Amino acid sequence: MASTVISDKRPGYGQLLRTPGALSFLLPGFAARQPFAMLTIGIVLLVQHTTGSFGSAGAVAAVTGVSMALFAPQSGKLADRFGQRAVLVPGVLVHTASVSLLVVLALTGAPLWALFLAAVPAGASVPQVGPMVRARWAAKLDGSPLMPTAAAFESVTDEFTFVVGPVLATALCTGVHPAAGLIAEAALTLVGGLFFAAQRATQPAHGLAAAAGHPGSEPRRSALSVPGVRVLVVAFLGIGTVFGGMQVSLTAFTEEIGNPGANGLLYGIFAAGNMLAGIAMGAVAWKTGPRRRLIMGYAGLTIAASLLWTTHSVLLLAALGLVVGLCIAPALITGYTIVETLIPASARTEAFTWLTGAVALGQAAAVTVAGRLADAHGASTGFLVPMAGTALALTTLLALRSRLKPHEASRVAARGIGHRVPVTVD
């Protein structure tokens, strides 16, 4: 199918940030979303320090990721129904307590099963701030041409989080104390989460309020009932394997060459490429449809990830990591763009949390498998995990790409929540 040309020039980031009230939820939202980027690497570094095993560290981090992936969509459903504050406040308190318990258990030499038990609530309670910020943008910019710019800006913010979070956690764990990364993660969650929850003026109307205003409205559907959302979940699982595989394998590689301090630098280069590509994606008025962009970007990601395991020097690994990072942002941003054309407003936060949870689940699986491979066969074998994960996801995307085309009813629903711009399919 021929692509549709979008003739309107996309509004800029400056105009977006001047939206009244935007900074009131953006700044605390940035602090509160750090746990997603800091939690896994913080657990890996602490547990590896206390047990001496990357496999055990990866397994504990994997339990956290699986728990988050399973509970994140439920958190999104509750936020859509009862409001963001009602979900955030208890979640932030539970997360802070759970991470604190995990730190104490690890430092006191508790058995591995105890770390697994503590990891479950730590992952389940990770605040889903990114999806909640996206929902606030959609509510605030209803009908505005700034909505596509807001979607790109949020993805860039996510990428920047992956620059700051792992580098900060690694620096604290290696330079201050092995537990410092997780302690900082818990503190940021508590302060940022509560401050974000306090911004009631920008909180979107929740489902109970909407139902009271429209008693004859259509029953709410789950976001996962939409076939295209399920395809995107698989794609985001593959992206998660890149994050998880890179975190563990880079840590193992720098330990193997006797330079653990280089881990933060290498991961920072990888994440910086991700962020730079995201900024460029948001600044371009695309003439190619999102489906085609997603497949092309994912193909590039798969090729780059497939070369990681062949690299054995710091300089080459830094260069290739940068390329991998440059390929992630187009896939992430385009995936979020597509999902907004597939779902009704009543499932918006839930849909975003399914994608976020998929990244966490892929990351958890990759951390586990890459950790075992690195322990048994050396650091380079851990890089086989991103190769396999992206290859399988790309195959799924190619086979089921027709499901990413929104039906007309979905397009009308999407426009009804603020996407009154031409919908480009291919």
Side-chain angles (χ1 to χ4, degrees), residues 215-310:
S217 60
E218 182 180 339
R220 186 183 181 280
R221 294 174 61 200
S222 169
L224 204 60
S225 67
V226 179
V229 173
R230 297 196 292 269
V231 175
L232 290 173
V233 164
V234 174
F236 276 56
L237 279 168
I239 293 172
T241 66
V242 178
F243 286 122
M246 290 290 282
Q247 286 180 347
V248 171
S249 301
L250 287 176
T251 302
F253 175 79
T254 54
E255 291 276 355
E256 198 173 83
I257 65 174
N259 187 13
N263 179 33
L265 175 63
L266 287 174
Y267 195 87
I269 291 172
F270 157 69
N274 199 355
M275 181 189 68
L276 292 173
I279 293 172
M281 286 286 294
V284 174
W286 292 97
K287 297 182 180 181
T288 304
R291 266 202 318 179
R292 187 172 299 173
R293 294 203 309 271
L294 177 61
I295 292 172
M296 292 173 61
Y298 219 100
L301 175 61
T302 303
I303 293 170
S306 298
L307 297 174
L308 286 168
W309 71 277
T310 67

Side-chain angles (χ1 to χ4, degrees), residues 98-112:
S98 301
V99 172
S100 301
L101 176 61
L102 182 58
V103 169
V104 171
L105 290 173
L107 292 178
T108 55
L112 198 58

